[in-house]
Amino acid sequence: DRESGLKRKLDESTQTLRQSNERSKSGIRDVMMKNLENRNKNLEKTIENERSKITTLQRTIDRESGLKRKLDESTQTLRQSNERSKSGIRDVMMKNLENRNKNLEKTIENERSKITTLQRTIDRESGLK
């Protein structure tokens, strides 16, 4: 009967091992599920941040378009003024408009630089995900 006792102990050990294995699998599944949930939350936050950056970038582009329109208007005004006036007043107005155009061009350059920087940041952060 020693053999049947050993057989019984082997069966009990096998059963205990199977139960332990099932509990382990369940724990691993729980951890994996939690990791996936956390990853999803992080991805959602990343999407939200990227959308915010896009909105900011769009506002910058809109602002630059407005500056370009003002530059075009100033240029047109300068041309019209040049055609209409031959006096010293014309020269003063022309100089003022030229200065305004230069300032607007510098502003556009600055805005483009900001856009480039924002785009690089978006590209860099997108590459990290």
Side-chain angles (χ1 to χ4, degrees), residues 72-86:
D72 291 344
E73 290 170 1
S74 292
T75 302
Q76 182 63 25
T77 301
L78 177 62
R79 286 184 182 134
Q80 291 170 353
S81 176
N82 189 33
E83 292 299 317
R84 283 193 306 259
S85 179
K86 302 275 185 190

Side-chain angles (χ1 to χ4, degrees), residues 50 53 114-128:
E50 293 299 317
K53 289 175 188 173
K114 288 178 189 176
I115 288 170
T116 300
T117 301
L118 281 170
Q119 189 60 52
R120 286 182 184 147
T121 300
I122 289 170
D123 292 345
R124 184 173 52 251
E125 290 188 17
S126 293
L128 295 176

Side-chain angles (χ1 to χ4, degrees), residues 11-24:
D11 289 345
E12 289 171 359
S13 292
T14 301
Q15 182 63 25
T16 301
L17 183 58
R18 284 186 181 136
Q19 291 171 349
S20 176
N21 189 24
E22 286 302 314
R23 283 192 300 272
S24 253

Side-chain angles (χ1 to χ4, degrees), residues 13-112:
S13 292
T14 301
Q15 182 63 25
T16 301
L17 183 58
R18 284 186 181 136
Q19 291 171 349
S20 176
N21 189 24
E22 286 302 314
R23 283 192 300 272
S24 253
K25 285 180 184 176
S26 177
I28 290 170
R29 277 193 302 270
D30 291 345
V31 168
M32 288 174 65
M33 185 64 117
K34 189 67 175 171
N35 287 342
L36 286 172
E37 288 170 357
N38 288 337
R39 179 68 178 143
N40 277 348
K41 286 179 187 174
N42 288 337
L43 288 172
E44 287 171 1
K45 287 178 186 175
T46 299
I47 289 169
E48 184 179 325
N49 289 339
E50 293 299 317
R51 285 182 178 153
S52 175
K53 289 175 188 173
I54 288 169
T55 299
T56 301
L57 185 59
Q58 186 60 52
R59 287 180 185 149
T60 301
I61 290 168
D62 292 346
R63 190 168 47 249
E64 182 180 316
S65 295
L67 291 171
K68 173 74 169 93
R69 189 175 54 254
K70 286 179 183 177
L71 176 61
D72 291 344
E73 290 170 1
S74 292
T75 302
Q76 182 63 25
T77 301
L78 177 62
R79 286 184 182 134
Q80 291 170 353
S81 176
N82 189 33
E83 292 299 317
R84 283 193 306 259
S85 179
K86 302 275 185 190
S87 68
I89 293 172
R90 180 201 71 190
D91 295 336
V92 170
M93 289 176 60
M94 216 158 81
K95 189 67 175 171
N96 288 340
L97 287 171
E98 286 171 353
N99 288 336
R100 174 80 174 132
N101 283 350
K102 286 178 188 175
N103 289 337
L104 286 169
E105 287 171 351
K106 287 178 185 175
T107 302
I108 286 172
E109 282 179 35
N110 290 339
E111 292 300 321
R112 285 184 177 152

